[in-house]
Amino acid sequence: MSAVAELEPPTTHVSKKSTSGTGREKKVTAETMASRQRDISVSEFFAKNRHLLGFDNPRKALLTTVKEAVDNSLDACEEASILPDITVVIEDLQPERGREVKQSRYRITVVDNGPGIVRKQVENIFGRLLYGSKFHRLKMSRGQQGIGISAAGMYGLITTGKPMMIQTRPDANKKAHHIELAMNTKTNRAEVTVDEETPDFPLQRLRGLTAGTREMSEKGEFLSPKAYPTGTSVTIELEGRYQKGRGSVDEFLELTAIANPHARITFVPPSRESAAEEEDVPLLKGGKRRAEGGTKEGEVAAGGEAAEAPAVVAPAAPVVTTETNGIILFPRAVEELPPETKEIMPHPRGIELGILLQMLKEAEQEEKGYTLYNFLQDKFSRVSANTAGEFCKSVGLTSRTKVGDVDHATAEKLYKEMQESKLPPPPTDCLAPIGVRQLLAGLLKGVRAEFYAASSREAAVYRGRPFLIEAAIAFGGELPTEDSSRVIRFANRVPLLFQQSACSSFKAVGETNWRNYDLQQPRGAAPVGPIVIMIHMASVWVPFTSESKEAVADYDEIRKEMKLALMECGRKLGAYMRKRLKMRREAERRDVFERYIGEISKAVNAINGTDTRKLFDALLAQAKKRTAIADLRLDEDGKKVKEEDPADQEGVIIVGVPNAGTAEPAGGRQAAEPASPSRKRAPGKPDPFAQSKAEAAMLRVAARAKADDDEPTLMDVKQARRAPSKPEKPRPARPAASKKPAAIPAAPPPAAAPIERKPKPKMRLDLRTGKPVPLDDAGGRLF
Amino acid sequence: MAKSKPAAGSVSRRIKERDTRTLRGIVELADDVAKKALGGKEPRVEIPLRTRSNTIWNRKRGILEMGSATAERELFNLNQAKQFMQTCLHARGIKELIEVEKSLSLRGMFYKGLHTVAGTSEKTFTDQDESDGILEDLEVSLGALREELHIFAKKKGTMIGNITIIDSGDEIDCRRMGSGGYAIPSIVEPDVIQFKKCEARFVLHVEKDTVWGRFNEDRFWQEHNCILTEGGGQPSRGVRRLLQRLNSELGLPIYCLLDCDPWGHYIFSVIKQGSISLAFESNRLAIPEAKFIGVRSKDYKACGFTDDVQIKLNDNDIKRAKEIAAYPWFEHHKGWQREIQGLLDNGFKMEVEAMINKGISFVTEEYVPARLKAKDWLE
């Protein structure tokens, strides 16, 4: 820890920096000032301002480290068309510490089955801040800035003095690289301390870590070399605090699993939680199922049996999060990668003057004699030759004017023209929605409710940037009834865990009138009741309110789309709620009748000797028939309206039959009770029904997924509609470089893939495979 | 108790016939339920409506009669299912009573039918009121009187005066009833009570036993040769039936001394015309000739009462008074319209006991004799 003290002054740094050296006693001249003015290394800046990157406190530091590593892994896998299989291991290195000690030293290891990283890029990727592939492009991806993982490594180095350890195997037939590197904050360069080749990938050591890992390893389900033919493993030691609840690693992984149903995530938490700072609320109550002695349900979904099935078909076994021997497994719920996203040029209406000037300058350097006419067409989306000509004309230039000849005043004029022009909105094929079915599969896996609905909006535009909103809700089941609803937010599939109330999505939830859908709602707040509301924003550039990427900025266009998506889900819920209420009423009514039928039968028997049993049966049969009829009559005020089954709605899953009133056979005649299928819910109890319910639901999903092939509108109209915009051809076999793990099915039949994945024209795997791209700025952002 | 001891063979035979008829009604009801149930139809019981809308004012006879409207009590109706079950339970209970030739009080019937519905924690009856209502329903739907169902109400009301009766075979001299008087049973039908000897020239019915006690202590009935009765507020069916029999069989005029308030007016209305809920029994309960001798609204001034005896009319009283004034049998009755208007004008009520304020025996020695003498009453 002594190293830490040196590197890391304990108090706020910015103010200190500004005041130090400006002592009053000495007269400061321009020269003396000049002598102190020098470059600030970016890494040094962040070492001092680590809160900007989400390392404010030990607990968040732990989370941010896991989050950055997992985000990177998911991005890398998807870019390489590999179904992600990610293992997160957190080891507590001071398990003997006192009970009251709030933090401890942890070793975090995140292993993925991605494409791996070529040796020479390792230092750049992990050892430099602001180095990455995602920053300077308008493309939907999780990371945006290229600071995450290296900052995490730096944080670890600062707090423990231990370098970051990386194992990576880009070639399945060769040994893995083992590199340890420590970042030099002064030079923004990594210093490699160990560089060797090793056959030990994924790390053998981790498999024997706990009883749980040993058990799973024996079954070949934990870090098996077969599942990780290529990939990368990052190990960082840091001071942190592990505690469950809101804003925890557990929550992050649960939500990530929901938004990424195509990923299989295994989590080995540390042996114990840190001393609690406050009572933490568990995230999604009952979301996990504790599997006694390791049930197969989850593994089946991720494992070999699905290999023969086409990629789209959801596994027939229930896919739910399980906990076995302390190891949490978020199984893969869909065997289908998210559609590949395209990179787009900025839209003329989405840029600022400064950026236009910068672009003009760059264009000039790029090519001598570059004309404005060509520049406009090349560097912007939705600018046709015609439009480009009009732009040139409108500012008094011709189509042959060179970029270099555009002066500041003309550029300003051009900028104004651009803002006022009527152009089609930017292309939207750059967005990859999670998709209705995937949303449902994700929620079904992580949240134990009885009703699930999802909707995916068409793409819309804010500030010239395309975005797309998806919403999903889970209702009832084992969710807590009394509490306020839980809003879970995602941006480009990354869960947002903090600053909920500052987020546009939270406002959208509050502004939606949930009372229309039979939910309680305090004025302007989120609804109250057993409901989980999920909002996902996909965009080439998500407007976060701050650098820590915790809340989406409140643009009217975005909020409006969010509300529309929520309302779509709400309507589905409303239909279900009405149906549920109706069924409950019906059950109650039948219950009332059944209760008295026994008494009546006995009384009539005593009076005139009619056979009690016969009478009871006859009356019961009538009661059953009449309750259904009575409801039709009652609900539609005499008007018989065609009943809609809420389950027939698009994007809806209903688990189990809602049946509140439990009809007991009256008169104590169990034998005379031919059918009383209603059953009592026993929340909290591991009832056998839950299993069969989930099974039934999964079978339904599977059935629907199959039906999708013939009838694309049933579950996921959005994707089906998008498909024609891309060439109709089967998904190609994946590049040979990334050998598929056994779990991933072979190239699926064409009909089974509503989303086409184009073969990659070139591997743009900058982050992992390495093609250094010059740093530039985008969107007037700070970094 | 109250096992009827028939006085003569003809009475006994009549009871047998009556019971047979009641039993037949009950079995028919059960048969209908069974037939409909087994035939896939909804079982229902037809029950004549005991509501104001189904009550007809027979101007000619001066009594309220029940109309022909009926309601169907359906099993498959959320609001009626329980009542349907209760009706069946009580029908069964009554059948049992008739078969063992015993009778039960209303409360007794409540307990007879009371048990927990099988498979639930629900009781068949929540309280006696529920049970009483069902029994009244059965009375009207079977077309049988309460006593024909072997059910009686609790004793209410007292009688004393110059009359000898036979009650269940026991001779009772109502002149020798001390300070307590003869308690009027709930069943006073001719097979239970017969009039043996009567010298009385009229009946004075007072509202409450406290006033009755005053009159009895002053030996009012001896002095004026009458029968003195009280009904404990709203008189029960037994009291009304007894008054009706005294009136119709012995030709005794019935004078009523009731409070000067809407409640008193209503009691008189029930005695005279019958009540809405028992309109089906008006024939044997209503006494169209009954007369209201007081307390009158004009008495405050006429008798010179002090302010102290006033009880202010509350909103409810005023509302009630207006309702009563609108009854068809009062609507065109000038005397009653004036009386009720007088009450409203006064703005206060007066109890019969108020007269004690003027003198302990004012009511027995001055007020009532003066009214009777002057024939100053309302019909």
Side-chain angles (χ1 to χ4, degrees):
Chain A
M1 283 301 282
S2 60
V4 182
E6 272 177 80
L7 281 162
E8 222 274 316
T11 44
T12 40
H13 326 290
V14 180
S15 60
K16 199 159 184 175
K17 201 160 66 181
S18 61
T19 50
S20 69
T22 51
R24 301 247 160 167
E25 68 281 359
K26 250 207 266 172
K27 202 179 166 223
V28 179
T29 63
E31 282 76 29
T32 55
M33 280 172 77
S35 72
R36 287 198 291 266
Q37 287 161 346
R38 59 182 168 88
D39 266 349
I40 302 164
S41 141
V42 197
S43 344
E44 202 177 4
F45 177 77
F46 280 124
K48 291 181 173 176
N49 294 292
R50 58 192 197 193
H51 57 277
L52 290 175
L53 299 175
F55 294 90
D56 332 24
N57 60 53
R59 184 162 180 247
K60 216 169 155 189
L62 188 75
L63 167 68
T64 306
T65 305
V66 172
K67 175 171 155 28
E68 294 298 344
V70 169
D71 285 354
N72 281 347
S73 292
L74 287 170
D75 270 345
C77 288
E78 282 168 25
E79 286 211 44
S81 298
I82 296 170
L83 279 171
D85 194 336
I86 294 168
T87 302
V88 178
V89 182
I90 302 181
E91 295 165 76
D92 192 336
L93 301 180
Q94 294 166 337
E96 306 304 324
R97 69 189 185 279
R99 290 181 65 83
E100 70 294 341
V101 180
K102 283 190 178 145
Q103 62 186 61
S104 174
R105 185 176 288 195
Y106 294 97
R107 184 189 293 135
I108 299 172
T109 308
V110 176
V111 190
D112 67 49
N113 62 342
I117 303 165
V118 296
R119 170 64 194 90
K120 72 176 164 88
Q121 279 300 337
V122 172
E123 290 96 320
N124 283 336
I125 289 164
F126 294 99
R128 277 171 77 178
L129 287 177
L130 296 176
Y131 185 91
S133 58
K134 303 166 193 169
F135 188 65
H136 9 270
R137 46 179 192 171
L138 281 178
K139 182 172 191 262
M140 183 181 155
S141 62
R142 288 181 181 76
Q144 283 180 342
Q145 290 143 358
I147 35 185
I149 194 65
S150 18
M154 196 165 68
Y155 177 84
L157 185 66
I158 287 167
T159 53
T160 66
K162 287 284 174 71
M164 187 170 8
M165 191 170 86
I166 293 121
Q167 267 100 17
T168 180
R169 181 154 68 187
D171 188 335
N173 300 320
K174 290 184 183 157
K175 282 185 178 174
H177 302 288
H178 175 108
I179 297 135
E180 286 179 25
L181 44 83
M183 184 156 185
N184 187 324
T185 50
K186 292 271 187 313
T187 59
N188 194 12
R189 284 286 183 279
E191 283 161 13
V192 175
T193 52
V194 177
D195 184 357
E196 59 191 29
E197 294 209 331
T198 169
D200 183 21
F201 181 86
L203 282 173
Q204 283 295 316
R205 181 181 65 81
L206 296 174
R207 306 177 66 183
L209 209 58
T210 70
T213 57
R214 277 191 296 275
E215 190 190 312
M216 277 180 79
S217 299
E218 273 167 30
K219 287 193 259 170
E221 284 157 2
F222 183 77
L223 285 181
S224 79
K226 246 168 90 186
Y228 294 82
T230 61
T232 305
S233 137
V234 181
T235 306
I236 294 169
E237 270 181 46
L238 49 72
E239 277 291 323
R241 191 157 68 84
Y242 174 75
Q243 199 182 333
K244 295 184 181 181
R246 294 271 168 100
S248 64
V249 174
D250 297 63
E251 182 187 25
F252 167 76
L253 289 176
E254 282 195 69
L255 297 186
T256 303
I258 288 173
N260 299 278
H262 61 292
R264 178 185 194 263
I265 302 172
T266 315
F267 176 42
V268 184
S271 47
R272 54 179 275 204
E273 281 191 68
S274 305
E277 203 125 84
E278 74 264 5
E279 270 312 306
D280 278 308
V281 202
L283 165 64
L284 302 165
K285 262 179 206 155
K288 248 175 284 167
R289 174 175 306 156
R290 197 168 292 276
E292 301 295 336
T295 12
K296 279 282 194 327
E297 48 199 12
E299 287 80 357
V300 172
E305 275 170 57
E308 280 79 39
V312 190
V313 177
V319 177
V320 290
T321 305
T322 55
E323 189 176 335
T324 315
N325 251 339
I327 297 181
I328 301 160
L329 174 68
F330 304 96
R332 186 170 294 139
V334 291
E335 300 284 330
E336 179 184 7
L337 277 160
E340 200 196 340
T341 56
K342 273 191 202 152
E343 190 177 336
I344 59 159
M345 292 298 167
H347 192 267
R349 297 182 73 158
I351 59 160
E352 272 141 42
L353 179 57
I355 301 181
L356 178 63
L357 291 171
Q358 172 97 16
M359 285 169 76
L360 286 167
K361 211 162 155 194
E362 277 167 13
E364 193 186 350
Q365 286 161 4
E366 200 177 302
E367 192 189 316
K368 275 267 172 274
Y370 204 178
T371 61
L372 180 64
Y373 179 72
N374 285 337
F375 163 79
L376 287 171
Q377 290 178 59
D378 293 351
K379 302 289 178 189
F380 290 96
S381 59
R382 294 298 192 230
V383 178
S384 62
N386 211 357
T387 334
E390 273 170 34
F391 275 136
C392 293
K393 219 155 92 195
S394 65
V395 295
L397 300 173
T398 67
S399 57
R400 254 160 289 160
T401 313
K402 299 210 168 47
V403 175
D405 297 340
V406 181
D407 60 13
H408 192 281
T410 321
E412 210 170 323
K413 219 166 143 193
L414 178 66
Y415 173 72
K416 237 175 119 189
E417 282 297 327
M418 282 176 159
Q419 298 312 301
E420 283 161 11
S421 65
K422 281 203 172 65
L423 291 171
T428 53
D429 53 357
C430 52
L431 300 176
I434 299 176
V436 171
R437 191 172 71 248
Q438 285 80 355
L439 281 169
L440 290 175
L443 273 180
L444 194 66
K445 169 169 82 170
V447 184
R448 300 190 73 188
E450 63 187 54
F451 172 86
Y452 303 83
S455 71
S456 190
R457 299 279 310 160
E458 290 287 342
V461 176
Y462 83 95
R463 274 183 55 197
R465 289 169 187 147
F467 72 98
L468 183 148
I469 299 295
E470 292 172 292
I473 50 181
F475 175 84
E478 290 170 26
L479 297 171
T481 326
E482 302 304 319
D483 306 352
S484 187
S485 58
R486 179 118 177 84
V487 180
I488 53 180
R489 304 166 292 133
F490 299 89
N492 288 352
R493 291 170 183 260
V494 179
L496 309 179
L497 301 182
F498 301 97
Q499 292 190 24
Q500 174 169 270
S501 53
C503 187
S504 185
S505 59
F506 196 67
K507 286 179 187 147
V509 170
E511 284 176 19
T512 306
N513 188 354
W514 294 95
R515 274 170 243 159
N516 287 347
Y517 316 123
D518 286 340
L519 287 175
Q520 291 181 345
Q521 183 183 27
R523 188 170 290 274
V528 176
I531 180 168
V532 173
I533 301 169
M534 168 178 176
I535 296 186
H536 174 235
M537 173 173 179
S539 178
V540 291
W541 192 267
V542 178
F544 289 112
T545 54
S546 71
E547 281 321 304
S548 46
K549 302 205 283 183
E550 286 159 354
V552 175
D554 191 19
Y555 283 95
D556 283 347
E557 297 93 331
I558 296 175
R559 199 172 64 239
K560 186 181 142 219
E561 281 295 316
M562 286 174 169
K563 272 158 72 181
L564 288 171
L566 288 172
M567 280 156 69
E568 219 171 281
C569 289
R571 276 193 295 275
K572 293 170 188 169
L573 176 65
Y576 174 70
M577 294 289 273
R578 282 191 294 280
K579 171 94 174 173
R580 197 169 89 131
L581 184 74
K582 206 183 109 176
M583 290 179 74
R584 180 176 294 162
R585 249 198 264 136
E586 195 175 301
E588 267 167 20
R589 186 171 290 137
R590 184 179 307 150
D591 195 27
V592 167
F593 298 150
E594 285 179 15
R595 229 181 297 155
Y596 301 141
I597 284 172
E599 293 290 332
I600 292 167
S601 312
K602 271 194 272 182
V604 170
N605 168 267
I607 295 171
N608 67 2
T610 311
D611 185 65
T612 318
R613 172 79 145 269
K614 255 165 84 183
L615 196 57
F616 179 84
D617 290 347
L619 287 173
L620 190 69
Q622 275 201 56
K624 293 229 159 85
K625 211 171 81 194
R626 276 169 203 283
T627 41
I629 295 164
D631 263 307
L632 274 181
R633 198 168 61 206
L634 225 129
D635 279 5
E636 319 290 354
D637 347 91
K639 202 166 51 174
K640 207 170 148 185
V641 173
K642 195 182 150 253
E643 280 297 310
E644 261 182 40
D645 189 351
D648 286 345
Q649 297 177 104
E650 208 174 277
V652 162
I653 296 182
I654 295 169
V655 180
V657 187
N659 216 340
T662 306
E664 293 276 344
R669 243 172 244 92
Q670 290 87 343
E673 173 64 49
S676 182
S678 47
R679 46 186 206 238
K680 270 185 181 132
R681 267 184 188 288
K685 243 181 14 186
D687 55 333
F689 269 127
Q691 168 86 25
S692 56
K693 247 191 279 176
E695 260 165 18
M698 282 317 297
L699 286 170
R700 255 170 117 160
V701 176
R704 271 159 195 277
K706 272 179 199 131
D708 258 8
D709 301 345
D710 321 314
E711 206 183 321
T713 53
L714 193 63
M715 283 289 289
D716 199 341
V717 67
K718 295 290 182 300
Q719 290 197 356
R721 215 177 289 156
R722 213 173 356 258
S725 72
K726 291 174 183 181
E728 289 283 339
K729 56 175 134 167
R731 182 195 280 194
R734 295 206 177 73
S738 61
K739 227 182 228 163
K740 288 175 289 289
I744 297 174
I755 311 140
E756 300 301 332
R757 288 183 65 92
K758 276 198 196 167
K760 292 181 180 306
K762 54 179 179 181
M763 294 293 271
R764 262 198 69 102
L765 299 175
D766 313 52
L767 182 64
R768 301 275 166 156
T769 58
K771 277 216 178 67
V773 188
L775 290 178
D776 70 356
D777 209 338
R781 299 182 67 91
L782 186 55
F783 307 109
Chain B
M1 61 158 287
K3 185 182 173 186
S4 22
K5 285 188 205 161
S10 67
V11 173
S12 153
R13 203 165 50 243
R14 235 172 44 226
I15 290 175
K16 275 268 152 60
E17 275 169 27
R18 213 180 59 187
D19 282 352
T20 315
R21 202 176 63 228
T22 313
L23 272 182
R24 204 187 309 131
I26 290 173
V27 173
E28 271 170 20
L29 188 144
D31 284 349
D32 187 53
V33 170
K35 197 179 134 204
K36 281 186 175 139
L38 297 174
K41 290 199 188 113
E42 175 166 10
R44 40 185 84 190
V45 181
E46 204 164 301
I47 294 168
L49 269 177
R50 290 177 293 121
T51 58
R52 171 109 188 253
S53 58
N54 192 34
T55 309
I56 296 160
W57 164 235
N58 188 330
R59 188 182 294 275
K60 212 166 146 196
R61 298 181 58 198
I63 60 169
L64 287 172
E65 289 177 338
M66 189 159 69
S68 56
T70 56
E72 302 231 290
R73 177 153 297 162
E74 300 166 337
L75 168 58
F76 295 113
N77 177 323
L78 267 196
N79 303 320
Q80 298 178 357
K82 189 169 187 185
Q83 290 175 330
F84 189 95
M85 179 267 294
Q86 292 169 335
T87 310
C88 292
L89 283 182
H90 271 343
R92 174 196 179 177
I94 290 163
K95 184 181 180 242
E96 206 180 316
L97 280 180
I98 293 173
E99 279 168 353
V100 300
E101 294 184 19
K102 288 190 178 174
S103 52
L104 273 178
S105 66
L106 289 170
R107 188 140 190 90
M109 277 307 284
F110 165 60
Y111 278 111
K112 176 146 196 350
L114 185 67
H115 59 261
T116 305
V117 178
T120 68
S121 57
E122 190 185 351
K123 296 256 175 85
T124 47
F125 294 95
T126 36
D127 53 24
Q128 195 195 324
D129 288 350
E130 249 181 40
S131 162
D132 291 357
I134 296 294
L135 289 172
E136 282 185 7
D137 289 345
L138 273 170
E139 275 182 65
V140 289
S141 57
L142 295 173
L145 300 173
R146 192 157 67 195
E147 44 271 28
E148 294 172 344
L149 304 181
H150 288 226
I151 297 162
F152 59 89
K154 72 174 183 191
K155 283 195 289 279
K156 201 178 166 194
T158 330
M159 176 167 81
I160 201 156
N162 289 328
I163 187 168
T164 305
I165 59 167
I166 294 169
D167 180 348
S168 308
D170 299 335
E171 190 172 301
I172 293 166
D173 182 356
C174 291
R175 298 164 198 88
R176 307 161 73 87
M177 299 305 296
S179 62
Y182 167 69
I184 303 168
S186 93
I187 298 176
V188 295
E189 291 308 305
D191 55 294
V192 180
I193 290 179
Q194 297 93 35
F195 303 131
K196 196 177 179 202
K197 187 180 164 211
C198 175
E199 297 97 34
R201 290 181 297 117
F202 65 91
V203 177
L204 178 68
H205 177 78
V206 301
E207 187 169 336
K208 288 165 283 196
D209 61 340
T210 50
V211 180
W212 183 89
R214 187 91 289 287
F215 277 91
N216 188 24
E217 198 180 83
D218 286 350
R219 296 313 233 184
F220 179 88
W221 54 272
Q222 243 168 7
E223 196 168 316
H224 295 274
N225 188 20
C226 69
I227 297 168
L228 192 59
T229 60
E230 68 71 28
Q234 182 67 260
S236 64
R237 279 202 248 180
V239 173
R240 285 168 59 198
R241 174 66 172 149
L242 187 66
L243 289 174
Q244 195 266 350
R245 284 188 65 202
L246 289 170
N247 175 254
S248 63
E249 292 174 27
L250 302 178
L252 302 178
I254 312 290
Y255 301 104
C256 301
L257 179 62
L258 307 163
D259 291 347
C260 177
D261 60 16
W263 184 240
H265 296 167
Y266 183 69
I267 291 174
F268 179 70
S269 166
V270 168
I271 291 174
K272 192 175 160 77
Q273 280 94 16
S275 68
I276 290 167
S277 63
L278 294 177
F280 59 98
E281 285 209 77
S282 289
N283 250 335
R284 47 176 215 118
L285 291 180
I287 313 160
E289 289 170 18
K291 293 164 177 67
F292 182 80
I293 60 167
V295 179
R296 305 277 296 274
S297 55
K298 63 180 185 182
D299 292 342
Y300 180 71
K301 275 186 191 144
C303 303
F305 292 135
T306 62
D307 295 357
D308 308 322
V309 303
Q310 298 179 359
I311 302 171
K312 214 176 164 309
L313 282 174
N314 60 32
D315 294 349
N316 211 15
D317 293 331
I318 294 168
K319 199 178 133 218
R320 191 88 185 92
K322 287 179 177 162
E323 270 173 32
I324 291 168
Y327 283 163
W329 47 98
F330 285 149
E331 203 184 347
H332 302 294
H333 192 298
K334 282 193 186 117
W336 271 108
Q337 290 297 324
R338 250 200 313 275
E339 178 62 29
I340 294 169
Q341 194 52 50
L343 170 73
L344 291 170
D345 290 347
N346 278 353
F348 56 80
K349 315 183 263 194
M350 282 181 294
E351 292 186 312
V352 178
E353 286 98 325
M355 284 186 253
I356 291 164
N357 189 264
K358 200 145 167 65
I360 296 172
S361 292
F362 173 77
V363 64
T364 60
E365 290 171 3
E366 292 180 42
Y367 183 83
V368 174
R371 284 297 149 94
L372 289 174
K373 201 172 170 201
K375 299 195 172 172
D376 182 6
W377 55 65
L378 280 170
E379 297 222 10

